[in-house]
Amino acid sequence: MSFLNFLVSGLSLGSIYAIIALGYTMVYGIAKMLNFAHGDVIMVGGYICFFATQRFGLPAIIGVLISMAFCTLLGIIIERLAYKPLRSAPSLAVLITAIGVSYFLQNAAQLLWTSNPKVFESVVGSDNVKVGELTISYVTLLTIIVCLVIMVALTLFVNKTKMGKAMRAVSEDKGAAQLMGIDVNTTISITFAIGSGLAAIAGVLLCSAYPTLMPTTGSMPGIKAFTAAVFGGIGSIPGAFLGGILLGIIENLAKAYISTQLSDAIVFAVLIIVLLVKPAGLLGKATREKV
């Protein structure tokens, strides 16, 4: 494969990371909490689409929509049952709860669907487009386009809509937002719903590009997407997008030219170097704690 092929593959992988990272950064930006169960919602989205399309024979677009609807509802339920009671709890309690929810979803998936890997058929088939010596699969094209559309749509939603302005107000100061008549609980629930819907899309695209589905499918992509969100500046939508794209390219080029075994170590080493230079991430803004 040529350098351009590796670069395009990295863009595709980075686009998946970016979509997942956008879910992380939305939740952190508004609710100021890290939802480590996000990666497992990706896995659930993959399973729902798998059964809808490959077991019940529904069209791919219907399977994706069902997956999004299910994961959106799942995100709201997780927020209401696990995180809402901890709204004023220490951040460590929320973090431990998020890890507990993650393990719960993984084990529930093992009980429901067994731990045997399932072969996921791509939602757009396995055809390719050739541009000179460059070969681009339909999945790669779809992933990059979907990522760009989601990033633009989220940016417009947050900046232009009434709910987006409410989200920004809650992000700045929950107490002041509540005094101004904003329903903080509903705003946070909608944020979780959006993040979980994005996780379903990411799960379908991830399984289409790497067609093996199992209960732990979302674990490592979830961790890497969180890394991408921190890399770009967690809480920033353009930062999550940039961090995901760069992370995917770095990982793919490291696998191609250095070592497949060391690629993850190289990715995290780059993250450490960036954070030493820019502690808030590439596009993040340093915040001062009020005393």
Side-chain angles (χ1 to χ4, degrees):
M1 289 177 71
S2 66
F3 172 79
L4 281 177
N5 279 315
F6 289 126
L7 185 63
V8 170
S9 296
L11 276 172
S12 175
L13 179 61
S15 296
I16 294 171
Y17 289 157
I19 295 170
I20 305 169
L22 285 167
Y24 270 117
T25 212
M26 284 284 291
V27 171
Y28 182 83
I30 281 80
K32 293 294 183 287
M33 63 160 289
L34 298 173
N35 178 22
F36 279 116
H38 193 65
D40 299 289
V41 178
I42 295 166
M43 171 269 298
V44 172
Y47 270 107
I48 297 300
C49 187
F50 171 83
F51 284 108
T53 56
Q54 292 174 230
R55 293 293 171 87
F56 295 102
L58 297 174
I61 185 63
I62 301 298
V64 173
L65 291 174
I66 291 172
S67 177
M68 287 178 64
F70 187 91
C71 287
T72 298
L73 181 61
L74 178 63
I76 293 171
I77 292 170
I78 289 172
E79 193 276 328
R80 288 290 171 91
L81 295 181
Y83 300 138
K84 186 179 177 182
L86 302 174
R87 197 79 84 221
S88 57
S91 56
L92 183 61
V94 180
L95 180 63
I96 292 170
T97 301
I99 294 170
V101 173
S102 172
Y103 279 111
F104 172 79
L105 290 175
Q106 284 185 30
N107 284 277
Q110 286 186 351
L111 287 172
L112 288 170
W113 303 310
T114 74
S115 57
N116 297 325
K118 291 177 171 53
V119 178
F120 191 100
E121 293 180 6
S122 172
V123 292
V124 290
S126 57
D127 292 335
N128 299 317
V129 175
K130 292 206 72 146
V131 183
E133 294 184 0
L134 185 64
T135 303
I136 307 172
S137 68
Y138 283 173
V139 173
T140 297
L141 282 174
L142 178 67
T143 302
I144 294 170
I145 292 168
V146 167
C147 179
L148 288 170
V149 169
I150 288 173
M151 198 276 288
V152 172
L154 270 183
T155 302
L156 291 174
F157 174 78
V158 170
N159 291 325
K160 302 295 183 183
T161 66
K162 185 177 179 181
M163 178 52 66
K165 292 174 183 177
M167 287 177 175
R168 284 188 286 146
V170 171
S171 174
E172 286 292 329
D173 191 321
K174 290 186 182 68
Q178 199 158 18
L179 289 173
M180 294 300 292
I182 294 171
D183 190 332
V184 172
N185 288 328
T186 300
T187 303
I188 292 175
S189 291
I190 290 172
T191 305
F192 267 85
I194 293 171
S196 299
L198 294 180
I201 297 172
V204 172
L205 292 173
L206 176 68
C207 293
S208 294
Y210 305 93
T212 302
L213 180 60
M214 60 181 70
T216 55
T217 290
S219 298
M220 187 53 72
I223 292 170
K224 288 181 179 176
F226 171 67
T227 303
V230 174
F231 186 35
I234 194 161
S236 165
I237 291 174
F241 173 78
L242 178 63
I245 295 296
L246 289 177
L247 198 78
I249 291 172
I250 291 168
E251 180 181 337
N252 224 46
L253 293 180
K255 285 179 179 177
Y257 294 108
I258 301 175
S259 168
T260 54
Q261 294 176 331
L262 294 176
S263 60
D264 289 346
I266 292 167
V267 164
F268 288 108
V270 171
L271 171 69
I272 292 168
I273 292 167
V274 169
L275 292 183
L276 287 173
V277 178
K278 293 201 70 175
L282 294 174
L283 300 182
K285 295 179 181 178
T287 55
R288 293 182 180 180
E289 293 289 334
K290 296 179 181 179
V291 180

